Amino acid sequence: MEFEWSVVWQALPELFKGAQLTVMIALAGLVGGLIIGIVAGLMRAYGNVVLNAIAFIYVELIRGTPIVVQVMFIYFALPLVADIRINPITASITAIVVNAGAYIAEIVRGSFLSIHKGLKEAGLALGLPLWKVLFYVIGPLAFRRMIPALGNQFIVSLKDTSLFIVIGVGELTRQGQEIMAANFRAVEIWSAVAVFYLIMTGTLTLILRVTEKRMRIL
């Protein structure tokens, strides 16, 4: 079978649109997921019994179910339960926020608890409130340790956007499927889609490696 480059060139505009939507969903979802993950992680690490239990249930519930089930629940079931209409983009971003937040929570918890407790005790002994100890003393060291794990989670969440094809989101994979359905050139189209994902994940990996190098403790 001959590889037709012209098919790829003709498909590029639509694939670019899909890639842009993929990046937008991933970035918006990861920003929200990072916020929720930090809060839930600190609740797990330093919260009282009630806060710890709430965060634990959230983390285990989300980690125990596939993201496809989560996005379909948000898009199809939640409107019936809460009488709220949700468009596919909002459902996709919400799914990334909820899913990534649970995994980031465990990354945050593990990173903060890996810091020697003597630093926390020293900060409290100096009269600092706990939030200042966490933010100024433990936080910077914990953040350095969580960068590799966060980078891995960011890449996983970026690729998870391809699963939102089930609710009709026009991201990269969906665009590739529609183009392939029109011209039946599966090899060319899916090769191009794969290259797009490699470029996006490769760029993200490079950014994270540079960040990790700059934040490294000498």
Side-chain angles (χ1 to χ4, degrees):
M1 176 180 176
E2 185 178 354
F3 191 94
E4 292 288 344
W5 288 100
S6 60
V7 174
V8 176
W9 299 128
Q10 292 172 4
L12 282 181
E14 295 302 318
L15 293 179
F16 269 119
K17 291 180 182 178
Q20 289 173 353
L21 184 57
T22 293
V23 172
M24 186 273 288
I25 293 173
L27 287 179
L30 286 171
V31 169
L34 190 60
I35 295 172
I36 292 179
I38 291 173
V39 173
L42 292 178
M43 288 169 62
R44 290 276 286 128
Y46 302 105
N48 56 31
V49 176
V50 175
L51 293 178
N52 191 303
I54 293 173
F56 175 79
I57 293 172
Y58 159 66
V59 169
E60 293 305 314
L61 179 64
I62 299 303
R63 293 201 306 172
T65 54
I67 190 172
V68 173
V69 174
Q70 294 162 14
V71 74
M72 293 185 74
F73 180 88
I74 293 170
Y75 186 64
F76 292 109
L78 194 59
L80 299 177
V81 174
D83 194 24
I84 301 174
R85 293 188 63 84
I86 302 176
N87 61 55
I89 302 298
T90 302
S92 300
I93 294 174
T94 304
I96 291 291
V97 169
V98 172
N99 186 269
Y103 288 93
I104 292 174
E106 288 300 285
I107 295 171
V108 171
R109 182 182 71 88
S111 297
F112 271 79
L113 293 181
S114 70
I115 305 300
H116 196 281
K117 64 180 181 179
L119 289 175
K120 175 186 173 184
E121 295 171 352
L124 295 175
L126 291 173
L128 295 175
L130 179 59
W131 72 268
K132 284 191 174 181
V133 173
L134 297 179
F135 189 81
Y136 293 109
V137 180
I138 300 177
L141 296 175
F143 179 72
R144 288 180 171 92
R145 295 187 178 184
M146 70 175 74
I147 288 176
L150 282 178
N152 182 66
Q153 181 57 46
F154 289 173
I155 291 172
V156 169
S157 294
L158 175 65
K159 293 188 294 183
D160 279 346
T161 59
S162 64
L163 300 174
F164 300 149
I165 190 175
V166 297
I167 59 172
V169 177
E171 42 72 55
L172 180 57
T173 302
R174 175 77 176 191
Q175 293 291 352
Q177 183 189 50
E178 292 181 351
I179 296 170
M180 191 272 295
N183 60 23
F184 301 102
R185 303 297 298 189
V187 175
E188 291 86 348
I189 298 304
W190 291 121
S191 296
V193 169
V195 170
F196 268 92
Y197 277 112
L198 286 171
I199 291 173
M200 290 188 291
T201 57
T203 302
L204 182 56
T205 299
L206 180 61
I207 293 172
L208 291 167
R209 289 286 172 82
V210 171
T211 303
E212 183 179 357
K213 184 176 180 180
R214 291 179 66 87
M215 295 292 291
R216 185 174 299 155
I217 301 174
L218 300 178

